[in-house]
Amino acid sequence: MDPYTPRVRAGTRKKNLTLSAKEYHKVTDTIASVRRNRHYVEDELVEDIDIRVQMSREPGRRRRDEASFEAERSFVRAPLNSRVVSSSGHRDKGKGRARDTSLHDVPVEIQEALVLEDLLYVLMGIEGTHITYHPDYSPDDEDPLNGIRFVVAPSLDPSLRDLVERILPLATYYTAISAFIESRSHLDFGLVNHALCASMRDMLKDYQTLLSQLEHAFNTSSQFTLQKLWFYVHPTLHTLSLLYLLITDLATADDPTADLSSSSDSSDAEEDARNEALGLGGAKLKAVLSEIKTSSLGVNGGASGIAVKGGEVLAILHDRMQSMSGDPAARELYGALLRDAGKPYVEMVQAWIRTGKLVDPYEELLVKESKFINRGTLEMDYTDEYWERRYTLRDGSTVGGSSKQHQAGIPPPRSTGGRLPGGACIPTVLERWKHKVLLAGKYLNVIRECGIEIRRDSSQQDGEDLSMDDERFYKCIEDAYTHANRTLLQLLLRDQQLIPRLRSLKRYFFLSQSSFLTHLLDLSHTELRKSAKSASLVKLQSLLDLALNTDAQGEDAMFREDVKVTMAGSGLYEWLLTVVNVSGLEDGDATEGHGHAHESQKKEREKDKDDKKQMLAIDALTLDYHVKFPLSLVISRKTILRYQLIFRFLLHLKHVEQSLSSMWIEHKTAPWRRQTRPRGTGPEAGRQTPQIPQPSQKDWHSEFENWRKRVFLLRARMLAFVQQILAFTTFEVLEPNWRKLEGKLEAGKVETVDQLLRDHVDFLDTCLKECMLTSSKLLRAYSRLIVTCSTFAVYTASFTKSANNAIAAADTPDGDHSMAKRWDILDKFETNFNHWYVHLDCVQFYASSENVSLLPLVVRLNSIKSVS
């Protein structure tokens, strides 16, 4: 009998303490199937997990049945939204607690798989099952630009939690950047913001591509772990953190209360308790206090109404790039954003400097246009608004470097000492080029408005792609500025005959050939003796045309039809003293001096009214000069005003000189040349019977002779004084300065239009200063002397009549008893004219301290002093 050998039964094997190979493969296949198909096997170990997954999918199906707008918006923000529920529609605290406690019994491998699935949702801004929104998060109250904060289920394994919390900021950054792109893509934020959002959107596309690749790896590879996910997203975390810092700066740039809110959030619990005890802890009261602080900062007005756009966006980008220059990744990222965001700005600058056309629909560019100012204002406005204010910089700065932020139309800075808002903020890299950008387009605009076609420079390429960090862009600005300068300067000097125009101004206003003025004064002698209101401008204009047509020949006859006669509203010296005496008060003296200034202004107005009634036409006579655009930019109302001041100064001198010369002719008549001797003192006295001399009669004759000599001497001194002033003005001041200006223009030393304008105005200002018309002390002393001389010339007929009366009365037995009165009048004139010694002292002082060009006048006046 064979021995009994027991047979091994299937299923009766003793269970080992470890998993067999078959059971191990079964578990791994289960995990893989979870990753591939989202179906969980009906196993005792994962039965509860399967139920929860099925419950989480049912609201997802209900989500797909919602309104099409919500589905479309969800898909635009994140394509994975079509597969899961929304953020707040299904949140249940009880279910959340159930889920939290359920993870305690789940192995770490399964927890990792669940968290990986949730992370792929969360990184797109979608709430997951075990990674949910922060309990304090509310879509209605939170600012979308702050991003969504997520929290991890407390029951998650600590080793996984640490790694997940490192990855979660990526979701916050992504949601904040997406919200920023969505909000700043509106039209009101301008082209620079649109370009910046487009660049950020491209970067988010790369981020979404990375997520799709990670999702593919999660679905297909069993080796994909949380550690690998962290490895792949770690570089992206740094990039999105840099973008998040940038959008935070951009979002808070126009919100001065951000610092207030951050400081209020940082208050400690003790302070909150104290405020609560004092009755300051209520939410409404806090809101009121915050509103008061906000209004005190001026948030609701001023710059707060201007969005962060244009140059301000580029300035913030550049500042961040400079502050993060030590980080190569940050510098590269911000540099790429600056290039992309600056493209519209660069295109607007190029269109402006190449064609003179300003295409800035959202007011982002540094150049501003005032469309209400047109060319017609040049003929009536003394401030030349077309050139100075038609096109200006938004920050208010001028070519001289001064800033005019106090003017209307220039927004205040965001904060005290901070940057200007919007387009008024000029990018840092363009700061030193801003004036050339302005002038290049302004020059071309003038040429274009003259009807001249602007030809593009052959060296400029239409297809070149420039950026703000490209040296070619700034070379393009320099070339455009030089080209516009050269074109407009040639237009003014060659086509518009600027130099002949200036020569005609010199002839008519500086009296370089003053024969026409002498002829005019002779022809209009009667008319000029009338009051300024009674004189006929039509008659004076016809007499001026007659004088010009008679005397002008050849080049001197050019542009004579542009010279017009006009009457000034006030006297020359009164007007100049009013202008010279205008000076600002210190802050401390402003309140004290305001009342006195107001009273003095009233007195001056009353005095001016009386003077205007008595002002003669000769004192108000002046010339005007009419030119057309674009010559009116150089020969502007400001410059014509300076020419008129110098002309009236010379006209007054010429008129006084002519009056004193006429007085000299009057003094050659009989009453002034007739010998008056007492009887018995002539040549025939020896053949007559000797008589007793009459001492009183002899004293009268000698006194009368002395009086006439004193009148002759005073007239000669006055004439010499006036002639020396006139000679100094014409030969020592006007002619040399004119030669310098003419030499610059003819030699081509003037390279820019602004230099031409500046040289022209400097020439006139120098002439005014050296003619003593800008110093109040010199002007007062001089005006008294010249008025004394003109008044003395007016008394010519009175002196002649007094001399005739004296001679006639001397032959009568009673004799002349008015000699004392004659001496009294003459003494008054001599006393007033002797003030010229004071004038000489003033001239010597200013010549030695401020204006050395007055030294020739000192020499001339000293020569008169030695003779007299």
Side-chain angles (χ1 to χ4, degrees):
M1 184 175 161
D2 295 334
Y4 174 76
T5 304
R7 297 165 58 182
V8 179
R9 298 180 183 178
T12 61
R13 181 183 302 174
K14 186 179 179 180
K15 294 184 179 180
N16 297 324
L17 296 178
T18 59
L19 292 175
S20 64
K22 182 178 180 180
E23 289 174 334
Y24 176 79
H25 289 301
K26 183 178 179 180
V27 173
T28 56
D29 291 340
T30 301
I31 295 175
S33 64
V34 168
R35 296 176 177 176
R36 285 194 300 268
N37 305 315
R38 303 295 191 274
H39 293 293
Y40 296 93
V41 294
E42 297 180 357
D43 190 87
E44 294 180 355
L45 193 61
V46 291
E47 182 179 359
D48 188 40
I49 300 175
D50 182 61
I51 294 173
R52 288 200 306 270
V53 171
Q54 295 298 329
M55 292 176 63
S56 66
R57 289 184 178 182
E58 290 178 2
R61 287 192 291 269
R62 289 196 303 269
R63 176 68 176 177
R64 289 193 290 271
D65 297 334
E66 291 179 359
S68 61
F69 173 76
E70 292 295 331
E72 180 181 357
R73 180 188 176 197
S74 177
F75 181 77
V76 169
R77 295 188 61 181
L80 292 180
N81 273 3
S82 60
R83 300 186 300 180
V84 295
V85 296
S86 182
S87 58
S88 59
H90 70 288
R91 297 185 64 183
D92 191 341
K93 295 295 181 181
K95 295 169 66 177
R97 284 195 298 270
R99 290 196 297 267
D100 292 343
T101 56
S102 64
L103 286 179
H104 287 291
D105 300 330
V106 179
V108 176
E109 294 83 1
I110 302 300
Q111 290 187 24
E112 182 178 8
L114 295 174
V115 170
L116 275 173
E117 183 185 18
D118 273 5
L119 275 176
L120 292 175
Y121 291 140
V122 169
L123 292 180
M124 296 292 293
I126 306 166
E127 188 180 24
T129 304
H130 304 286
I131 303 176
T132 58
Y133 294 141
H134 194 277
D136 296 337
Y137 170 73
S138 175
D140 298 330
D141 299 336
E142 292 288 334
D143 185 4
L145 298 182
N146 292 332
I148 302 175
R149 292 182 297 164
F150 293 90
V151 293
V152 187
S155 58
L156 187 65
D157 186 84
S159 61
L160 299 178
R161 174 191 295 275
D162 180 67
L163 205 52
V164 170
E165 289 179 349
R166 295 184 190 180
I167 301 174
L168 282 183
L170 197 60
T172 304
Y173 300 155
Y174 173 77
T175 53
I177 296 169
S178 299
F180 176 84
I181 293 174
E182 185 178 351
S183 64
R184 296 303 170 103
S185 296
H186 294 297
L187 294 178
D188 297 339
F189 287 95
L191 299 177
V192 174
N193 272 316
H194 297 169
L196 177 64
C197 291
S199 182
M200 289 184 176
R201 194 177 292 112
D202 290 339
M203 294 181 181
L204 290 189
K205 284 181 181 179
D206 296 337
Y207 171 76
Q208 292 167 356
T209 302
L210 173 64
L211 289 185
S212 65
Q213 293 172 351
L214 293 175
E215 184 180 12
H216 177 72
F218 172 74
N219 290 331
T220 59
S221 174
S222 60
Q223 305 299 322
F224 187 77
T225 62
L226 190 61
Q227 189 67 36
K228 284 189 177 181
L229 177 65
W230 168 247
F231 174 78
Y232 287 125
V233 301
H234 180 264
T236 308
L237 180 64
H238 181 58
T239 302
L240 291 192
S241 67
L242 294 175
L243 289 179
Y244 180 75
L245 292 175
L246 173 62
I247 67 170
T248 303
D249 284 353
L250 293 173
T252 58
D254 58 345
D255 186 13
T257 61
D259 296 334
L260 291 176
S261 62
S262 61
S263 62
S264 63
D265 293 341
S266 61
S267 60
D268 54 4
E270 183 180 355
E271 184 179 358
D272 293 340
R274 183 171 63 254
N275 292 337
E276 189 72 29
L278 294 174
L280 301 176
K284 293 184 178 180
L285 185 56
K286 287 182 178 180
V288 171
L289 294 176
S290 177
E291 184 177 356
I292 293 174
K293 289 181 180 180
T294 302
S295 61
S296 66
L297 288 175
V299 175
N300 293 329
S304 63
I306 302 177
V308 180
K309 60 182 180 179
E312 189 176 8
V313 175
L314 300 177
I316 294 174
L317 255 173
H318 184 268
D319 291 345
R320 285 216 60 84
M321 186 175 68
Q322 293 298 319
S323 63
M324 302 288 290
S325 59
D327 185 355
R331 185 172 183 84
E332 182 180 358
L333 174 67
Y334 290 142
L337 290 176
L338 183 61
R339 286 190 295 272
D340 294 339
K343 282 183 180 179
Y345 201 89
V346 170
E347 290 175 358
M348 287 187 285
V349 170
Q350 285 184 310
W352 167 248
I353 64 177
R354 290 182 177 180
T355 63
K357 295 180 181 179
L358 187 61
V359 183
D360 185 17
Y362 303 107
E363 298 182 352
E364 300 175 275
L365 199 61
L366 70 164
V367 180
K368 177 179 65 174
E369 178 183 9
S370 301
K371 296 183 178 180
F372 62 90
I373 300 175
N374 52 37
R375 289 184 299 178
T377 58
L378 280 177
E379 300 177 358
M380 63 187 72
D381 192 359
Y382 278 80
T383 60
D384 299 340
E385 285 191 322
Y386 184 80
W387 180 253
E388 293 186 356
R389 294 179 56 193
R390 175 64 186 264
Y391 296 103
T392 56
L393 292 174
R394 291 190 184 274
D395 65 349
S397 60
T398 58
V399 179
S402 62
S403 182
K404 301 178 181 179
Q405 293 186 10
H406 60 278
Q407 290 185 355
I410 300 175
R414 297 286 186 190
S415 60
T416 305
R419 66 171 64 92
L420 294 174
C425 180
I426 300 176
T428 309
V429 292
L430 272 180
E431 182 66 31
R432 68 188 192 94
W433 297 90
K434 60 182 180 180
H435 296 299
K436 289 189 176 181
V437 171
L438 171 67
L439 296 177
K442 186 185 289 189
Y443 295 155
L444 294 181
N445 192 271
V446 171
I447 298 171
R448 185 164 54 85
E449 293 200 11
C450 291
I452 300 175
E453 181 182 359
I454 299 175
R455 297 179 180 178
R456 299 284 295 274
D457 194 351
S458 59
S459 62
Q460 296 175 352
Q461 300 178 3
D462 295 335
E464 55 184 354
D465 188 12
L466 302 178
S467 60
M468 300 194 71
D469 59 350
D470 192 348
E471 291 295 332
R472 295 179 301 164
F473 173 58
Y474 303 103
K475 185 178 184 301
C476 178
I477 295 177
E478 184 69 34
D479 294 341
Y481 175 72
T482 305
H483 173 70
N485 256 312
R486 184 172 59 251
T487 305
L488 182 56
L489 199 59
Q490 289 178 357
L491 173 67
L492 293 173
L493 294 177
R494 184 181 59 192
D495 300 342
Q496 299 294 328
Q497 297 181 321
L498 177 62
I499 296 179
R501 284 278 185 179
L502 294 178
R503 286 173 181 161
S504 68
L505 282 169
K506 174 177 175 286
R507 179 178 184 271
Y508 298 130
F509 286 86
F510 290 173
L511 308 180
S512 60
Q513 297 175 358
S514 59
S515 57
F516 82 94
L517 182 65
T518 304
H519 195 185
L520 174 64
L521 294 178
D522 291 339
L523 292 175
S524 58
H525 178 72
T526 305
E527 197 70 22
L528 293 178
R529 291 175 64 88
K530 300 179 181 178
S531 64
K533 294 183 179 180
S534 302
S536 173
L537 286 178
V538 177
K539 186 175 182 180
L540 290 174
Q541 182 63 46
S542 63
L543 294 175
L544 175 64
D545 294 339
L546 178 61
L548 291 176
N549 293 331
T550 303
D551 297 336
Q553 294 179 357
E555 186 178 348
D556 296 336
M558 296 176 63
F559 315 117
R560 60 189 177 189
E561 65 278 359
D562 295 327
V563 184
K564 305 296 179 182
V565 173
T566 184
M567 290 288 175
S570 60
L572 172 64
Y573 305 110
E574 293 80 5
W575 192 87
L576 283 173
L577 284 173
T578 303
V579 173
V580 169
N581 289 331
V582 171
S583 59
L585 294 174
E586 298 292 336
D587 294 339
D589 300 334
T591 55
E592 299 179 1
H594 182 71
H596 300 289
H598 188 65
E599 294 177 1
S600 61
Q601 287 178 0
K602 283 185 177 180
K603 294 180 180 179
E604 289 177 0
R605 288 174 186 172
E606 294 175 358
K607 184 179 179 181
D608 289 341
K609 289 181 181 179
D610 298 337
D611 293 343
K612 287 180 181 178
K613 295 177 182 178
Q614 302 174 0
M615 189 168 59
L616 298 178
I618 186 61
D619 296 326
L621 178 67
T622 185
L623 299 181
D624 200 358
Y625 197 83
H626 295 282
V627 292
K628 296 181 180 180
F629 187 85
L631 271 180
S632 53
L633 298 176
V634 181
I635 308 174
S636 60
R637 299 308 309 175
K638 285 194 302 185
T639 56
I640 289 177
L641 175 61
R642 290 170 167 83
Y643 278 110
Q644 288 175 338
L645 293 176
I646 296 175
F647 170 78
R648 292 181 67 185
F649 174 71
L650 295 175
L651 174 63
H652 204 185
L653 286 174
K654 282 283 187 182
H655 175 64
V656 174
E657 182 190 21
Q658 189 179 31
S659 300
L660 292 174
S661 300
S662 301
M663 191 178 186
W664 172 75
I665 297 175
E666 182 73 20
H667 286 175
K668 295 175 69 174
T669 58
W672 297 97
R673 297 298 179 181
R674 179 180 176 183
Q675 297 291 333
T676 58
R677 294 183 179 180
R679 299 170 190 173
T681 60
E684 299 178 356
R687 296 191 296 267
Q688 296 177 357
T689 306
Q691 298 180 358
I692 301 173
Q694 301 178 2
S696 59
Q697 189 177 9
K698 182 177 181 180
D699 292 342
W700 178 88
H701 283 280
S702 62
E703 188 176 4
F704 181 70
E705 289 291 336
N706 292 333
W707 177 80
R708 289 195 305 190
K709 291 178 181 178
R710 294 278 288 276
V711 171
F712 294 158
L713 180 61
L714 182 59
R715 185 252 310 153
R717 290 172 60 200
M718 287 184 175
L719 183 59
F721 173 78
V722 172
Q723 287 177 343
Q724 292 297 337
I725 294 288
L726 189 59
F728 167 76
T729 303
T730 53
F731 294 108
E732 304 286 351
V733 176
L734 299 180
E735 191 65 25
N737 288 318
W738 163 252
R739 291 299 177 191
K740 291 180 183 178
L741 178 64
E742 187 181 33
K744 282 185 179 180
L745 295 177
E746 291 181 344
K749 295 181 180 180
V750 178
E751 298 178 352
T752 66
V753 178
D754 272 87
Q755 183 182 355
L756 170 62
L757 299 178
R758 190 164 53 250
D759 288 345
H760 188 211
V761 174
D762 289 345
F763 155 70
L764 294 173
D765 289 341
T766 302
C767 293
L768 285 171
K769 181 180 179 181
E770 294 182 359
C771 288
M772 303 173 294
L773 299 181
T774 58
S775 173
S776 58
K777 292 184 179 180
L778 288 176
L779 198 57
R780 287 192 185 95
Y782 166 76
S783 61
R784 290 173 185 172
L785 288 173
I786 207 71
V787 168
T788 300
C789 295
S790 61
T791 307
F792 182 74
V794 170
Y795 270 75
T796 300
S798 299
F799 283 134
T800 303
K801 182 179 179 180
S802 179
N804 284 326
N805 293 336
I807 294 174
D811 297 334
T812 61
D814 296 335
D816 182 25
H817 301 287
S818 301
M819 201 65 216
K821 184 178 180 180
R822 296 189 191 94
W823 277 110
D824 184 51
I825 295 175
L826 183 60
D827 287 340
K828 289 181 179 179
F829 277 109
E830 288 183 336
T831 302
N832 287 326
F833 184 71
N834 286 335
H835 278 94
W836 80 274
Y837 291 110
V838 178
H839 176 260
L840 176 59
D841 293 338
C842 291
V843 172
Q844 287 178 339
F845 172 75
Y846 278 95
S848 60
S849 60
E850 295 183 9
N851 193 357
V852 295
S853 59
L854 295 177
L855 289 175
L857 180 61
V858 174
V859 176
R860 290 174 179 272
L861 294 181
N862 280 323
S863 64
I864 302 175
K865 181 179 179 181
S866 60
V867 172
S868 59

